[in-house]
Amino acid sequence: LREEPPPPLAAPAAAPCEGTGDPVLVLPPREEQLLSTRSESERESPPGARRSEVSPSCRASQHKGSDRQSRRVAGDKSATYSSSSGGGKKGRRRLSGVQATRDPTEPPKRSDLLAEEKVKGFVPREEWLPFSEPELQVLATVRRWLGAARFDAVPLDLLVCFVRGYAYRKDWAETVYVELSEALEWRERASADSVLDSPPADRPLFEQLYQSGPVGRDQQGHIVELMRLGRLKVSRLFKSFELDAIIKQVTYAAEAKRACNIANCGALGKRTYKTVVVIDCQGLNSDHLGKEFRVLMKKTAEVLSGHYPETMHKTYIINGPLIVRAAWNVTRHMMHPLSAAKIAILGSDWKKVFDRDGIVLDGNSLPASIGWSEAVGELPADGGAARRRGWAPPADLAALAALAEGAQG
């Protein structure tokens, strides 16, 4: 679902989490810019170009570098990969070079993963469909690396999000294992499984300052979430909460959304783990251009991107002033194409688009007040058992059971 500060930009723009997690408005991290620049440079200057301007020794070095690059693009796992020097959230670095030779029976490490590549045209499997055979093969491999007990304890909705969120990668199974194992460790540290049972302190105040919550459904049954970014009171938020406390509140909202999606699956009789996000920019002001806002968006993205991948179906940014559109025109080229394709920038005529796309708001309008706490209070009283187990169609339950039996046999 990168500790150096993001580069300055005229205004915030939509940046959904990689792995197509929840969207936030955030300036693109500098390493994304460096990666984009490096990739463009490699495409524009193929190995061997402008040889008249380099020495023979440099040519030899370039030739070796091009061989390594060719192996990387081809997915050659017999070579050696090294991590880049870019800072950031531990375990979520960009990688460059070639992948290290390792024992395939041993669990991979992040340093074993291939470099991130921008893949165009990839279409993930529809969320309500059961696991495909390739997905089950990946899950069998991940189960072996993760261990049976730990694998079987993973909530079913998270399991499918991780296996489909990274299906575009050449090192699919390795990436799923690394990302999932790190997410499970984070969930233990953050007490994510019990956060709804013991809400963070001052939750009502937080929901007043940072308004978000469910407001409707789309024609496929996805929950529609409204985020009132323009009404976000950044200065007061940071005066009332420490950054760590804010992240706990963000975790609460993410788990509340999970719980609502799980209940929605039971009501619909089909799996829907994604949401439609509406970001209302009405009221944007200078507070949304300051350092505190950038820090908030960056930290929020780290939580959602790394630990809740593949959970965004579509994002509509409404009531956006011209400066948001201008910033988006710059930012979208630095984003993963799979994420950028899910974002629509709308003006004040957003209702027409909602009607066209089959989005139905509760009460046919945006409500005056919203919050995830109210939605959690309306969930079935099962002690949290449903969200700890997740939801999956019967075909997937049978396939996972067969997977376990096959491993035992």
Side-chain angles (χ1 to χ4, degrees), residues 47 65-76 98:
S66 65
D67 286 345
R68 289 193 297 270
Q69 176 67 9
S70 297
R71 288 196 296 270
R72 181 183 69 81
V73 173
D76 183 356
V98 284

Side-chain angles (χ1 to χ4, degrees), residues 46-58:
R50 303 177 66 183
R51 291 185 178 179
S52 62
E53 299 180 14
V54 297
S55 65
S57 61
C58 288

Side-chain angles (χ1 to χ4, degrees), residues 73-263:
V73 173
D76 183 356
K77 299 181 181 180
S78 65
T80 304
Y81 269 75
S82 61
S83 63
S84 70
S85 59
K89 171 176 171 285
K90 183 179 180 182
R92 292 193 59 76
R93 297 173 180 159
R94 296 284 174 185
L95 305 179
S96 60
V98 284
Q99 191 175 23
T101 302
R102 66 175 187 83
D103 183 350
T105 64
E106 293 296 320
K109 302 182 293 293
R110 182 162 291 279
S111 57
D112 296 322
L113 300 185
L114 299 173
E116 179 74 38
E117 294 185 8
K118 294 187 176 182
V119 179
K120 295 183 178 180
F122 176 83
V123 179
R125 189 170 173 82
E126 293 288 3
E127 57 204 285
W128 41 81
L129 294 178
F131 288 128
S132 65
E133 187 59 35
E135 289 174 335
L136 289 172
Q137 292 174 4
V138 168
L139 288 172
T141 301
V142 172
R143 189 180 194 274
R144 185 175 69 250
W145 286 333
L146 203 60
R150 199 176 179 205
F151 179 89
D152 293 342
V154 177
L156 296 168
D157 58 310
L158 291 181
L159 196 62
V160 69
C161 286
F162 276 88
V163 77
R164 290 182 178 171
Y166 298 100
Y168 66 93
R169 291 184 58 100
K170 295 176 182 177
D171 51 350
W172 185 7
E174 290 84 354
T175 302
V176 172
Y177 168 78
V178 170
E179 298 290 353
L180 179 57
S181 60
E182 291 180 1
L184 294 177
E185 292 171 0
W186 171 84
R187 291 184 66 81
E188 292 179 4
R189 295 194 305 270
S191 300
D193 287 333
S194 60
V195 68
L196 297 188
D197 301 322
S198 302
D202 297 322
R203 181 66 195 176
L205 175 60
F206 184 85
E207 292 191 344
Q208 176 187 348
L209 301 176
Y210 194 164
Q211 299 181 24
S212 68
V215 295
R217 297 287 191 277
D218 74 352
Q219 58 187 352
Q220 295 172 324
H222 295 110
I223 292 174
V224 177
E225 175 192 9
L226 173 64
M227 298 174 58
R228 284 201 166 103
L229 191 73
R231 297 189 188 182
L232 172 59
K233 298 175 175 60
V234 182
S235 299
R236 188 179 171 192
L237 184 68
F238 275 85
K239 288 179 181 178
S240 304
F241 297 90
E242 297 292 335
L243 182 59
D244 287 346
I246 293 175
I247 298 306
K248 289 181 181 178
Q249 300 283 358
V250 171
T251 302
Y252 177 94
E255 286 299 306
K257 192 185 307 184
R258 270 196 64 229
C260 290
N261 275 330
I262 291 169

Side-chain angles (χ1 to χ4, degrees), residues 308-327:
Y308 302 92
E310 192 61 12
T311 53
M312 186 261 288
H313 176 66
K314 182 77 175 179
T315 292
Y316 298 92
I317 300 178
I318 66 173
N319 297 320
L322 290 178
I323 195 170
V324 170
R325 293 175 179 270

Side-chain angles (χ1 to χ4, degrees), residues 6-24:
L9 193 65
C17 306
E18 214 168 275
T20 59
D22 275 344
V24 294

